[in-house]
Amino acid sequence: MNDNLHQLRCFGCGARIRGDQAAPDFRCVVCGDLFEVEYPGWSQRGGTDRPNGGALKWLWRERKSSSELLDHSGVWRFRELLPILDSFGNAVTLREGHTPLYHLPRAAKALGLDQLYAKHQGMNPTGSFKDTGMTAALSVAKERGFEWVACASTGNTSAAMAAYAARAGMRSLVLIPEGKIAWGKLSQAMDYGALTCQVKTDFDGCLKVLTEIVREAPIYLLNSVNPYRLEGQKTPAFEIAESFDWHVPDHIIVPGGNLGNSSALGKGFRELKELGMISRLPKISVIQAEGANPLARSFRANGGTALEPVEAHTRATAIRIGNPASWRKASQVVIETGGWCLDVTEGEIAIAKAELGREGIGSEPASAVTLAGLKRLVADGRVHESDTVVLVLTGHTLKDADYTIDFHRGKLLSDAEAAPKAAEIEALRRDAVEVEGSPKAVLAALEAVKGRWA
Ligand code: F0G
């Protein structure tokens, strides 16, 4: 391990340890908080270990036309800012990252914004943003000689972990909450050969069980409590900054579940600023589902300084999390960047997802909280007409096809949930129609929707 370049710093008490000294559950033995990766050489201006921002911008752009395997990864293309491996030759990659940044003209017009974009992390190899973190942390596991890796998951982490473990010839153990994950994700864990346990508890319960298992058995924990996950997940911040020619957007809007992703993106932008590669931080806002909103409640109650876990309920199963592990890190990101944390209703999530779909941008429900949250921020006057906004879409639409079909069939929401937005929902619904096998029948179906469908 490249311990001369990186160390782990406890987010709570500031204790510093070597990379290979972390406890199996990645909790600080002094105070119980989580660690983050730190690169001591970066702080010495003029020091030989401090990356040269100007040179890196040039090098990273050059790598876009390189034929090296590692340069085809949108994570390892930025490897100078994640020197966590002894040898980059040990990196396990599926060519993650390099995700598209889509303009959203319809949503922008509806909201009166000039510049609205979606950074679609669902376009990663296993269909979610988790791939960027998994390539980093699983590579560390491989380099340290582990045979088994494990995670608790609402589905996407397990899909990513199982795929990367399979590529590395390693074995993976998945704990998922029984009956509460989308089928697409469960099928991926099976496809990639994981041992998948459907545990009779929720996500928070799964993580608790797994934390005890890794203390007993030589299994490497790959949840986002593992600080190396966040090193990979910070790289979309680099991609976003690069896409805007290093003039960062005004707002980045991220869904919040276990709160690793918002923490990681915040770290990415912070590091770019510390290295002088960008001149300011974007405001980073975290959006949760109303029924799984511990951080939003914490911001309302005490400005994000203390968090009460909740029992989580939302159809956006990816973010059905009541006791988020990385809440302190995420809270600091929101506060330091001047962003907000809010929650949105099930109806708002469903509408936002359908609206994105109508722009040709499919996403899973957890991703759509970002557009729902943006609407609130615009209505409250926190996001202005001239602002540039990037929504981080975290998962692919095919992860949870049941949700989409139920919405369009009018079976997703309860009457009470749909009532406040009934007209909007009706206008967006596109249920399939059954017709006879004749041109006449299809033309009649076409006639029936003319004028009704915008
Ligand atoms: N969006 C999607 C599609 C997710 O899968 C997750 C988390 C999030 C947002 C929230 O990200 O936890 O970093 O705040 N999914 C995890 C999993 C928990 O197990 O796949 P976060």
Side-chain angles (χ1 to χ4, degrees):
M1 195 57 40
N2 228 334
D3 286 317
N4 57 333
L5 285 180
H6 90 272
Q7 61 192 19
L8 303 182
R9 180 181 164 278
C10 173
F11 196 77
C13 69
R16 289 188 167 87
I17 59 171
R18 280 208 329 258
D20 58 1
Q21 284 176 331
D25 63 359
F26 293 102
R27 293 274 170 188
C28 173
V29 291
V30 182
C31 74
D33 212 328
L34 299 176
F35 286 95
E36 63 181 5
V37 177
E38 187 181 66
Y39 305 98
W42 292 10
S43 52
Q44 293 153 19
R45 273 170 210 280
T48 47
D49 286 336
R50 186 176 159 90
N52 175 335
L56 284 181
K57 287 179 187 174
W58 180 86
L59 175 68
W60 294 343
R61 199 176 55 229
E62 285 296 297
R63 281 185 183 153
K64 283 186 166 181
S65 55
S66 150
S67 57
E68 287 278 318
L69 176 66
L70 225 49
D71 296 339
H72 292 190
S73 160
V75 171
W76 299 108
R77 183 162 70 89
F78 302 105
R79 52 193 174 272
E80 289 74 17
L81 295 197
L82 53 154
I84 54 176
L85 297 175
D86 261 350
S87 160
F88 287 120
N90 289 327
V92 182
T93 172
L94 281 165
R95 303 190 184 198
E96 53 289 319
H98 283 311
T99 53
L101 182 76
Y102 295 120
H103 188 215
L104 298 176
R106 282 173 83 146
K109 187 159 175 240
L111 288 167
L113 296 175
D114 261 0
Q115 300 289 331
L116 175 59
Y117 298 88
K119 176 72 174 164
H120 205 330
Q121 295 297 100
M123 305 302 263
N124 269 294
T126 77
S128 87
F129 72 100
K130 305 287 183 180
D131 294 343
T132 56
M134 210 47 79
T135 185
L138 187 128
S139 300
V140 171
K142 185 184 164 201
E143 197 170 68
R144 292 190 186 173
F146 282 89
E147 183 186 355
W148 279 89
V149 290
C151 70
S153 180
T154 56
N156 280 326
T157 303
S158 50
M161 181 187 75
Y164 282 82
R167 292 300 292 175
M170 294 164 73
R171 306 216 233 171
S172 61
L173 166 69
V174 164
L175 301 196
I176 52 165
E178 190 182 37
K180 287 162 200 146
I181 80 163
W183 290 119
K185 304 175 187 180
L186 178 60
S187 72
Q188 286 180 291
M190 294 175 176
D191 208 17
Y192 304 135
L195 166 58
T196 305
C197 299
Q198 295 181 262
V199 190
K200 293 184 173 49
T201 177
D202 55 10
F203 169 83
D204 302 294
C206 287
L207 190 51
K208 216 166 144 224
V209 170
L210 188 57
T211 302
E212 285 173 34
I213 293 174
V214 296
R215 288 195 197 119
E216 307 270 316
I219 301 177
Y220 194 71
L221 181 64
L222 281 175
N223 277 94
S224 56
V225 292
N226 180 323
Y228 299 109
R229 276 270 312 276
L230 304 200
E231 290 308 286
Q233 282 176 214
K234 75 186 181 185
T235 58
F238 306 162
E239 287 191 345
I240 292 171
E242 187 183 49
S243 306
F244 287 95
D245 205 14
W246 308 101
H247 301 288
V248 294
D250 299 291
H251 298 272
I252 305 281
I253 305 190
V254 196
N258 213 19
L259 298 171
N261 201 31
S262 33
S263 306
L265 293 171
K267 186 174 194 278
F269 283 112
R270 190 187 305 131
E271 288 178 354
L272 290 182
K273 177 143 187 297
E274 280 167 10
L275 293 171
M277 299 175 75
I278 56 175
S279 59
R280 64 180 175 116
L281 296 175
K283 289 187 165 64
I284 300 182
S285 294
V286 176
I287 316 295
Q288 299 197 296
E290 195 181 52
N293 62 352
L295 191 69
R297 280 171 187 241
S298 150
F299 267 87
R300 282 195 288 269
N302 53 56
T305 53
L307 180 133
E308 278 292 316
V310 302
E311 197 186 300
H313 297 283
T314 169
R315 292 185 189 81
T317 50
I319 50 173
R320 195 175 192 274
I321 295 174
N323 189 13
S326 295
W327 75 268
R328 279 202 184 80
K329 292 182 184 176
S331 171
Q332 192 202 54
V333 166
V334 171
I335 293 167
E336 131 183 50
T337 64
W340 295 275
C341 179
L342 359 145
D343 51 356
V344 292
T345 66
E346 295 292 300
E348 288 175 297
I349 297 171
I351 290 171
K353 179 174 144 45
E355 286 171 343
L356 287 166
R358 293 290 295 284
E359 296 220 35
I361 308 295
S363 70
E364 65 166 290
S367 307
V369 300
T370 54
L371 178 58
L374 173 64
K375 290 186 199 176
R376 295 269 190 103
L377 292 172
V378 170
D380 294 349
R382 289 163 165 171
V383 171
H384 307 113
E385 199 180 305
S386 57
D387 288 348
T388 301
V389 182
V390 174
L391 309 178
V392 179
L393 303 184
T394 43
H396 197 282
T397 184
L398 294 179
K399 290 276 191 174
D400 193 355
D402 286 348
Y403 181 103
T404 311
I405 291 175
D406 285 348
F407 173 79
H408 290 288
R409 290 195 171 149
K411 290 191 205 152
L412 182 75
L413 302 168
S414 69
D415 290 347
E417 286 167 335
K421 306 265 177 193
E424 274 177 77
I425 291 169
E426 254 346 276
L428 285 162
R429 276 184 49 212
R430 293 290 184 268
D431 194 8
V433 284
E434 267 185 49
V435 295
E436 294 298 323
S438 73
K440 198 169 149 221
V442 177
L443 288 169
L446 201 60
E447 198 59 37
V449 300
K450 262 197 195 159
R452 268 203 308 126
W453 282 10

